[in-house]
Amino acid sequence: MSKIAKDFFAGCKDRTPEVRESGGKPVLELPVKDALQFIDLPQPAALEQPQYDLTQAIVNRKSLREFSPEKISLAELAYLLWCTQGVKENKEGKVTFRTVPSAGCRHVFNTYLLVQNVEGLKPGLYRYIALEHKLALLNDDAALTGKIADCCVTPMPMKNSAVSFLWTGYIYRMTSRYGIAGMRFMLLDAGHVCQNLYLSALAVGCGACALGGFKDEEINALLGLDEEQHTIYIAAVGKE
């Protein structure tokens, strides 16, 4: 076993929470700063979607790297967001139960969206506010998708997608409870989120392509992330 692997698994043995007096209690969801606009999303129940058998979705699941020019509707995007980070219950502002599992219900992910071809939305960078089921427009630079795609090992899926999902981790929310072992749990949670996207995308006639190879620091800077967050996973989505 390599030294990197040994060090990682050795750290995961210690699940004692890191006590950081300056850190304080982690918030359920990081606040949005300097939003240009807030957009209310249709509720998932408002989406008239065809019934899609779960077994068939698992069989048909694949990575789609080329997408059609057809637009995704705002309702379809709202459905995909709800399936990947939707809040089913908020218990007194202390913990949320969502549509995906998470270690200790920590739910560390924030969903950023690079929109290119969604009805009713101008191209640019958005963030999903899961607790309120709405979008915040952060940057209306239409060229931002291309800039971020160029930071990926495989840029084309993002460049021809209707929308790309970028999941950033609010790491302290996990490590404040589990210490270094929280890093393992966060990475496992990323897989839960992206698999939900793959399966739910099929129900609305879309495909997805997960991207894990990218230049972290460059993308973090383009997203305007502070030291509390880090980009963990990306997926491009579009109509088949």
Side-chain angles (χ1 to χ4, degrees):
M1 186 182 293
S2 69
K3 184 179 185 303
I4 292 175
K6 286 181 180 179
D7 289 346
F8 175 76
F9 288 116
C12 287
K13 292 178 182 178
D14 178 16
R15 299 189 182 184
T16 304
E18 296 178 359
V19 178
R20 288 199 244 169
E21 294 182 1
S22 61
K25 183 179 179 181
V27 296
L28 278 183
E29 186 174 52
L30 289 174
V32 173
K33 301 176 181 178
D34 303 323
L36 301 177
Q37 182 184 1
F38 288 97
I39 300 101
D40 291 324
L41 290 170
Q43 293 299 314
L47 177 62
E48 295 182 5
Q49 63 176 78
Q51 294 297 312
Y52 204 100
D53 180 74
L54 176 60
T55 301
Q56 199 62 38
I58 293 172
V59 170
N60 291 340
R61 189 221 60 78
K62 62 182 178 180
S63 290
L64 188 67
R65 294 173 174 81
E66 295 183 5
F67 307 102
S68 80
E70 183 182 351
K71 287 182 178 291
I72 291 177
S73 72
L74 187 61
E76 289 169 338
L77 177 60
Y79 172 74
L80 296 178
L81 288 166
W82 184 82
C83 286
T84 52
Q85 279 294 285
V87 176
K88 297 189 295 183
E89 183 180 357
N90 185 344
K91 296 197 71 172
E92 301 175 350
K94 296 179 180 179
V95 65
T96 57
F97 296 102
R98 304 199 184 190
T99 54
V100 289
S102 177
C105 288
R106 303 310 280 176
H107 294 294
V108 302
F109 291 111
N110 289 311
T111 305
Y112 288 80
L113 299 171
L114 286 169
V115 169
Q116 294 193 109
N117 201 16
V118 177
E119 291 178 358
L121 294 181
K122 63 174 66 174
L125 175 66
Y126 295 75
R127 197 185 120 191
Y128 177 49
I129 314 302
L131 294 180
E132 302 177 51
H133 191 61
K134 64 173 57 176
L135 292 178
L137 173 60
L138 304 178
N139 189 330
D140 57 5
D141 179 5
L144 193 56
T145 294
K147 295 175 184 177
I148 292 180
D150 286 335
C151 297
C152 296
V153 175
T154 307
M156 285 313 298
M158 287 187 69
K159 288 189 174 182
N160 66 36
S161 69
V163 60
S164 291
F165 287 60
L166 299 95
W167 294 291
T168 68
Y170 171 30
I171 297 171
Y172 176 62
R173 179 160 175 77
M174 189 67 84
T175 57
S176 63
R177 180 166 185 172
Y178 295 112
I180 294 175
M183 300 299 291
R184 168 195 275 177
F185 299 145
M186 179 180 65
L187 298 177
L188 291 171
D189 287 358
H192 304 149
V193 172
C194 195
Q195 181 71 335
N196 266 29
L197 179 65
Y198 265 87
L199 298 179
S200 59
L202 291 171
V204 292
C206 291
C209 182
L211 303 170
F214 48 81
K215 299 176 182 177
D216 299 54
E217 292 185 359
E218 286 87 340
I219 289 183
N220 290 345
L222 287 168
L223 292 180
L225 303 185
D226 57 26
E227 61 182 11
E228 296 289 339
Q229 296 185 79
H230 194 96
T231 305
I232 304 298
Y233 212 1
I234 299 173
V237 177
K239 291 288 185 176
E240 293 196 62

